[in-house]
Amino acid sequence: MAAVDETAVPLTRKDYSSDQEVRWCPGCGDYSVLAAVQSLMPDLGVRPENIVFVSGIGCSSRFPYYMNTYGVHSIHGRAPAVATGIAVARPDLDVWVITGDGDGLSIGGNHLIHALRRNVNLTILLFNNQIYGLTKGQYSPTSEQGKITKSTPFGSIDYPFNPLSLAIGAEATFVARTHDMDRKHMQETFKRAHAHQGAAFVEIYQNCNVFNDGAFEEILQKDKRGSMLVSLKQGEPIIFGDDLEMGVALNEYGEAHIVQIADVGLEQILVHDEHRTDPAIAFSLSRLADRPTTPTPIGVFRDIERPVYEQEVTAQLARAQERSGPGDLRKLIESGNIWEVA
Amino acid sequence: MTPETTTAQPLSLERVVIRFAGDSGDGMQLTGDRFTDVSAAFGNDLATLPNYPAEIRAPAGTIAGVSSFQVHIADFDILTPGDVPNLLVAMNPAALKANIADVPPGAAIIANQDAFEERNLAKAGYAVNPLEDGSLDAFRVYPVPMTTITLEACKELGVKPRDAERSKNFFALGLISWMYNRPTDQTVTWIEEKFKGKELVQAANIAAFKAGFNFGETAELFDHTYEILPAKLKSGRYRNITGNLALSYGMIAASQQSGLPIVCASYPITPASDILHELSRHKNFGVRTVQAEDEIAAISMAIGASFAGNLGLTTTSGPGVDLKSEALGLAVSLELPLVLVDVQRGGPSTGLPTKTEQADLMLAMYGRHGECPLPIIAADSPSGCFDAAFEAVRIAVKYRTPVILLTDGFLANGAEPWRFPDVGDLPAIPVDFASEPNHDGAFWPYLRDPETLARPWAVPGTPGLMHRIGGIEKQDGTGNINYDPGNHELMVKLRLEKVMRVQQDIAPVDVDGDVDADLLVVGWGSTRGFIKAAMRNVRGSGRKVAHVHITNLFPFPSDLGDVLRRYPKILVPEMNMGQLSRLLRAEYLVDAQSLSKVQGAPFRSAEIEAKIMEMTN
Ligand SMILES: Cc1ncc(C[n+]2csc(CCOP(=O)(O)OP(=O)(O)O)c2C)c(N)n1
Ligand code: SF4
Ligand SMILES: [Mg+2]
């Protein structure tokens, strides 16, 4: 199949928005993510027909219906696998995965980690609302322990996942976090994720105002963001606080922890480097906040280069053709011992 | 060492069934394969039945570790790998014990005498050596010190005795090659190629092979050799082929004839893995293979590939089909072409991983929630897997539907001569991707072709045809999410009707045998040859029977009901508890009697024959 036409044409948000009525609950954080993505699209310069949004099942997974691109609303948890199939078949397409904390980390956890390890060229947006929205409010693999929900009237016992730690552990080459209250930050993060060659994993803190309202309010309320959001910037010391008085340093074990700059001096503050091949510091940063209740890093944690899966698949095909010429069906069928009966 | 140097005139035979049996580590599959290939090239008709344990290396010398390979060669067209062996080659006591029940009195047994020592006898549960206690008096037994002679033959080569011992299967192959006057050069060349770079192994195997051949000639143990002339098969060009290989070639052929590149995503499982292995070798045909993280991922990837305009393919066996069922439903709902190959094996659960069975018919038919119809096709011989694969792709593409292609362990690993088609005669599989809006300047992804009811296939990258599809019920035409009761019923009916229209496109029932028969035998899948062989005998004895073999299991051919009702009695032999017979009863209200066998092995034609005799008495 010939590669798609990639010449850019000037387009607007409208060109990327479908005519379908958006059906999330009023006030749902999903709206702001959708708006961020739709209005970012013209900037990315990819024609709508060359884009595919693939999702699983969940409130968030309705997302593809609202994009005027190609889209597959697949089954619960399997979007990374469907998307892998699309990417392998057509490396020329721009493939996005939309998933939720239940979809991507519970039923579909296996596919997510394998898509990351393979480094399939996908932009994966995980809408983490720490709850099962669509099924009306059961706890999810990212819900805090002790969570009271319909299925856990006495509190949940399960220890939660840290999605970024999981992604880094799964050999992800791009890992980032953003949140639904800041369109600009979302767009910067998505843009970076999209530019990344290989699997880009973005966790989005997303408020479900119906079943888990305020899950991130301790860090996302306007007046708290300064002291609770630790913005990661490549090549810069990791500092935060209303007066930028705090920073992140590594202790003797290499663990990231929060310090008062006045106590340790600016030179002790960790300078952020997304490109470190070794994942240890990125991992440590992903664990700085155990829950979104203490100062929490946002931005790009990790961005490294590794061969892209479908490009390698294509390269093997090309090498096979170079070596043996294009497939010859007659030669194939008539291989081995042949005899003739008159 | 040419066959002509044998002293006695070879005895002419029409056919022979040989079973090579030994420890899993003894290389019996390789030996059997080799003998098969030589016989195929010689021009015999043949059919094979490999049988091996699920464990890679069960404890050596035990019954559990016995692996066997049966090959039936003949100078006429045969239909099965043979009910019982005329010659059993037993490499150790366990191999004898595990197979002796199948050997009829008067048949020959060649045993590796060296292996019949105390430890091995004990492991096989023999208190006394059966080669010596007269318990085998009903057979013609030839004890041959295969290990000793093999070691002797390799002595000069500098091969360590332990390594030399491993070549004893080639000794057996040499001996049997002598006995049946098989040409030797091909095997020598084959050994040279197979063990290229391993000079010692190469030399040892050739030495053992020649020693076996020469032993036959000089030992005076056997008074003559046998000759089985080339079979007078239908004229044409032939090669030997197994089901899994034929299926892989069929898929590649379908890809070439449709212009759709294959994406085959699979998770390894016996006995289907060889299809993935084979396809992954043919990247120069544009075949992309992915070893997925599990079967759910595998079919999901295939769905993605088909959405993107490739030919999505996933190959598995029963346990994998269980896992794929939800995604198969998605493919039905998305109305995308896709082929799922189920190489059936004994179940439930892990069951009998390496043994054959036909018990996934109901699974293929009904194993999904909701009303979820899809075409089901079954291959009925190893070489027939080529045509079945080609046909599965054709239907999947034309009707935009997933298709389940059923084969089984027997077909997968069994071999037979294949009168392969001329590539120039293969039909094209037309593909019509949507290129234009189809409704007032808009694109409706579920606006159907009036003839096939297939929906348009608009692939990403096509300007103006952007659309979103999913597993949620959608409005016919627009494809928009829609929960209206009337629309759902319409969609359920349309999805079924679309699949039923495959009937317009498939051959009517082909009845073989007597028009005025008292009994109609109805089969599907790999029982074909066994039923035909039984029919030959029964009809030879003057009884009137007819046979119908069903390739399209859903939908059935449209005239099947009429055909069934023409016969007073119906017999359905199946390697399950009567799944097809129940479908026929439910669909056509006919008294289809079931003959079932679930022993992880194909029927013997004699078993079917006996049932036919009983029912026609
Ligand atoms: C196989 C299967 N099991 C269960 C469900 C029911 N189900 C739908 S969405 C969902 C959880 C969704 O949670 P999440 O991924 O966090 O998405 P959210 O709705 O919160 O955006 C569940 C359990 C399903 N659709 N399919
Ligand atoms: S249930 Fe929660 S996540 Fe789902 S749409 Fe409503 S607010 Fe959003
Ligand atoms: Mg959720």
Side-chain angles (χ1 to χ4, degrees):
Chain A
M1 197 152 304
V4 295
D5 184 353
E6 285 175 2
T7 41
V9 278
L11 293 169
T12 64
R13 172 177 173 180
K14 256 190 76 195
D15 296 303
Y16 292 92
S17 311
S18 79
D19 60 358
Q20 298 296 296
E21 182 198 345
V22 183
R23 295 194 200 174
W24 288 307
C25 306
C28 175
D30 290 351
Y31 282 97
S32 49
V33 187
L34 177 65
V37 172
Q38 285 176 337
S39 51
L40 170 68
M41 280 289 156
D43 277 4
L44 298 182
V46 184
R47 295 173 175 224
E49 69 263 24
N50 298 339
I51 300 171
V52 188
F53 274 84
V54 185
S55 64
I57 300 292
C59 295
S60 38
S61 285
R62 294 293 177 94
F63 193 101
Y65 286 112
Y66 309 131
M67 298 297 299
N68 185 32
T69 61
Y70 285 88
V72 183
H73 179 220
S74 76
I75 44 176
H76 201 17
R78 317 305 171 194
V82 173
T84 298
I86 295 172
V88 166
R90 296 282 305 278
D92 56 336
L93 296 172
D94 184 16
V95 188
W96 296 62
V97 170
I98 304 293
T99 184
D101 44 321
D103 191 65
L105 297 175
S106 191
I107 194 167
N110 197 30
H111 310 306
L112 180 66
I113 58 175
H114 287 279
L116 294 176
R117 122 183 121 80
R118 288 192 183 101
N119 205 31
V120 184
N121 197 11
L122 305 173
T123 309
I124 304 171
L125 309 186
L126 185 138
F127 291 53
N128 184 7
N129 53 12
Q130 301 189 159
I131 201 80
Y132 283 8
L134 192 68
T135 45
K136 301 197 167 65
Q138 300 83 3
Y139 75 109
S140 91
T142 56
S143 299
E144 67 278 14
Q145 262 182 318
K147 185 149 197 94
I148 308 268
T149 70
K150 277 180 220 149
S151 62
T152 50
F154 305 107
S156 63
I157 299 167
D158 310 30
Y159 194 77
F161 269 139
N162 175 325
L164 296 193
S165 300
L166 183 81
I168 294 167
E171 309 292 348
T173 53
F174 183 98
V175 177
R177 177 189 284 142
T178 184
H179 64 91
D180 63 3
M181 303 288 283
D182 185 343
R183 177 181 299 191
K184 191 162 160 280
H185 191 267
M186 278 193 281
Q187 292 190 328
E188 280 166 7
T189 312
F190 298 159
K191 198 168 179 172
R192 288 281 314 277
H194 180 259
H196 176 72
Q197 289 297 301
F201 178 81
V202 182
E203 177 189 28
I204 307 165
Y205 283 159
Q206 173 246 322
N207 193 40
C208 166
N209 55 308
V210 173
F211 295 111
N212 202 19
D213 196 23
F216 307 103
E217 106 187 313
E218 283 173 72
I219 58 167
L220 293 186
Q221 270 181 359
K222 268 230 150 76
D223 57 335
K224 292 197 179 148
R225 287 188 209 168
S227 57
M228 290 301 236
L229 290 183
V230 182
S231 189
L232 302 175
K233 298 197 177 79
Q234 173 62 12
E236 292 182 21
I238 306 173
I239 53 173
F240 67 103
D242 290 327
D243 303 314
L244 297 178
E245 74 283 12
M246 285 180 287
V248 174
L250 298 181
N251 69 13
E252 56 180 314
Y253 302 108
E255 298 160 343
H257 65 127
I258 292 164
V259 293
Q260 296 289 328
I261 299 173
D263 293 348
V264 297
L266 191 60
E267 63 288 351
Q268 286 302 308
I269 300 300
L270 179 64
V271 174
H272 186 49
D273 183 3
E274 305 155 350
H275 307 311
R276 290 180 66 88
T277 314
D278 187 285
I281 294 176
F283 186 81
S284 190
L285 281 173
S286 77
R287 309 193 70 77
L288 188 68
D290 191 34
R291 300 292 311 164
T293 49
T294 60
T296 301
I298 58 169
V300 178
F301 287 61
R302 178 170 172 78
D303 179 7
I304 61 157
E305 276 179 38
R306 203 168 69 221
V308 174
Y309 185 75
E310 63 269 36
Q311 288 172 7
E312 295 293 296
V313 171
T314 305
Q316 281 195 345
L317 259 58
R319 281 200 294 277
Q321 295 223 349
E322 249 166 55
R323 217 175 26 238
S324 343
D328 178 339
L329 188 57
R330 184 181 302 276
K331 243 169 79 185
L332 178 73
I333 289 179
E334 305 188 6
S335 57
N337 280 326
I338 305 288
W339 70 97
E340 189 143 2
V341 176
Chain B
M1 43 180 269
T2 49
E4 286 85 300
T5 57
T6 14
T7 41
Q9 255 319 90
L11 223 103
S12 220
L13 290 180
E14 284 180 348
R15 47 173 286 247
V16 69
V17 178
I18 303 171
R19 188 182 295 180
F20 297 93
D23 209 56
S24 312
D26 283 345
M28 290 297 99
Q29 302 302 321
L30 195 74
T31 311
D33 258 342
R34 200 50 233 146
F35 188 79
T36 303
D37 271 3
V38 174
S39 301
F42 185 71
N44 295 125
D45 195 11
L46 60 86
T48 70
L49 175 62
N51 187 3
Y52 51 94
E55 296 74 20
I56 302 304
R57 287 285 154 87
T62 62
I63 305 265
V66 173
S67 159
S68 72
F69 189 103
Q70 181 163 308
V71 53
H72 185 181
I73 55 175
D75 70 359
F76 63 99
D77 65 314
I78 48 161
L79 301 159
T80 76
D83 281 4
V84 294
N86 308 111
L87 168 63
L88 172 68
V89 179
M91 301 301 286
N92 67 6
L96 178 71
K97 185 136 194 188
N99 290 284
I100 191 70
D102 294 340
V103 184
I109 298 171
I110 296 180
N112 177 16
Q113 193 175 2
D114 295 323
F116 283 69
E117 41 75 44
E118 219 168 298
R119 263 191 54 185
N120 280 332
L121 288 166
K123 275 194 217 160
Y126 281 117
V128 237
N129 188 344
L131 300 180
E132 292 163 3
D133 68 354
S135 62
L136 301 175
D137 281 356
F139 312 98
R140 290 177 288 132
V141 183
Y142 303 97
V144 178
M146 299 191 195
T147 314
T148 313
I149 309 177
T150 302
L151 289 179
E152 192 61 34
C154 296
K155 212 170 182 177
E156 303 295 298
L157 303 172
V159 188
K160 288 199 213 91
R162 271 197 57 191
D163 295 337
E165 204 234 301
R166 292 220 186 98
S167 298
K168 63 182 183 294
N169 58 325
F170 283 96
F171 178 94
L173 181 63
L175 178 56
I176 307 305
S177 298
W178 168 81
M179 191 173 258
Y180 291 94
N181 281 281
R182 306 282 102 174
T184 56
D185 317 356
Q186 286 169 18
T187 297
V188 172
T189 317
W190 178 86
I191 294 174
E192 282 166 0
E193 267 167 32
K194 170 101 186 164
F195 301 99
K196 203 178 244 155
K198 298 177 191 157
E199 271 73 32
L200 280 184
V201 184
Q202 214 180 47
N205 287 341
I206 292 174
F209 177 69
K210 289 186 173 170
F213 194 95
N214 294 338
F215 178 84
E217 201 157 82
T218 53
E220 296 189 355
L221 196 59
F222 310 95
D223 27 12
H224 45 70
T225 63
Y226 300 93
E227 179 179 67
I228 295 160
L229 295 175
K232 287 165 272 315
L233 299 174
K234 227 172 166 181
S235 73
R237 299 175 70 216
Y238 286 80
R239 59 164 288 169
N240 191 38
I241 200 150
T242 63
N244 274 347
L245 189 58
L247 196 148
S248 308
Y249 286 0
M251 290 297 175
I252 294 174
S255 163
Q256 296 280 300
Q257 298 303 98
S258 63
L260 295 172
I262 289 176
V263 173
C264 177
S266 302
Y267 189 76
I269 186 168
T270 307
S273 301
D274 280 341
I275 304 170
L276 173 63
H277 302 164
E278 184 62 30
L279 288 175
S280 64
R281 296 177 54 216
H282 300 293
K283 300 198 190 306
N284 61 329
F285 283 88
V287 176
R288 292 164 194 257
T289 54
V290 181
Q291 181 174 315
E293 56 271 22
D294 62 27
E295 282 89 347
I296 302 174
I299 185 168
S300 300
M301 289 175 189
I303 288 171
S306 288
F307 178 76
N310 282 21
L311 176 59
L313 174 63
T314 186
T315 54
T316 189
S317 185
V321 183
D322 292 349
L323 287 176
K324 290 175 198 289
S325 53
E326 189 197 6
L328 207 47
L330 175 66
V332 166
S333 181
L334 295 180
E335 303 193 35
L336 282 172
L338 182 136
V339 178
L340 183 160
V341 178
D342 175 7
V343 185
Q344 300 166 93
R345 67 188 217 184
S349 190
T350 306
L352 306 173
T354 60
K355 314 282 183 200
T356 195
E357 203 161 276
Q358 292 182 296
D360 296 354
L361 177 55
M362 290 296 194
L363 171 67
M365 202 74 182
Y366 299 123
R368 295 166 295 284
H369 70 278
E371 293 290 347
C372 197
L374 48 77
I376 304 168
I377 292 176
D380 59 15
S381 73
S383 67
C385 289
F386 179 90
D387 308 280
F390 197 90
E391 176 70 357
V393 173
R394 185 186 73 85
I395 289 179
V397 169
K398 181 164 175 184
Y399 294 89
R400 312 274 198 267
T401 175
V403 172
I404 292 184
L405 169 54
L406 295 173
T407 77
D408 62 34
F410 169 67
L411 295 176
N413 294 319
E416 66 177 359
W418 176 36
R419 199 168 132 261
F420 53 80
D422 188 292
V423 167
D425 296 340
L426 288 174
I429 298 178
V431 177
D432 51 338
F433 289 132
S435 57
E436 300 283 330
N438 57 1
H439 191 269
D440 284 344
F443 178 67
W444 282 17
Y446 281 77
L447 197 60
R448 297 169 188 282
D449 178 300
E451 190 201 325
T452 59
L453 297 182
R455 70 175 194 88
W457 193 4
V459 304
T462 316
L465 305 190
M466 288 80 76
H467 64 282
R468 279 67 50 193
I469 54 176
I472 297 191
E473 190 61 282
K474 66 279 296 169
Q475 190 176 36
D476 192 39
T478 65
N480 292 337
I481 292 182
N482 188 300
Y483 302 122
D484 291 347
N487 175 70
H488 175 56
E489 187 158 286
L490 174 71
M491 290 300 276
V492 166
K493 289 180 171 166
L494 279 171
R495 285 187 287 255
L496 176 61
E497 171 62 16
K498 180 181 78 164
V499 174
M500 292 310 291
R501 290 205 184 176
V502 172
Q503 280 187 330
Q504 309 168 347
D505 214 0
I506 56 179
V509 175
D510 175 23
V511 186
D512 177 27
D514 305 294
V515 215
D516 54 343
D518 306 317
L519 174 72
L520 176 70
V521 185
V522 182
W524 68 279
S526 70
T527 53
R528 183 173 188 277
F530 302 91
I531 295 174
K532 291 254 182 270
M535 294 262 300
R536 263 188 197 170
N537 289 348
V538 178
R539 295 182 72 209
S541 74
R543 292 180 203 232
K544 298 203 162 166
V545 281
H547 173 211
V548 160
H549 214 72
I550 305 176
T551 320
N552 292 91
L553 290 152
F554 195 79
F556 286 132
S558 51
D559 60 339
L560 182 61
D562 294 338
V563 171
L564 295 178
R565 289 188 204 100
R566 285 211 294 267
Y567 299 88
K569 290 180 185 171
I570 298 170
L571 172 66
V572 187
E574 291 177 89
M575 293 187 286
N576 60 43
M577 292 304 285
Q579 300 191 10
L580 177 64
S581 74
R582 257 175 286 159
L583 290 175
L584 296 179
R585 284 169 164 263
E587 188 67 28
Y588 302 110
L589 296 175
V590 292
D591 183 15
Q593 297 286 316
S594 167
L595 172 63
S596 93
K597 178 171 184 179
V598 277
Q599 300 178 9
F603 277 99
R604 292 178 181 176
S605 48
E607 293 163 344
I608 299 172
E609 193 181 326
K611 186 70 186 175
I612 297 175
M613 296 299 256
E614 180 196 312
M615 285 182 74
T616 51
N617 237 336

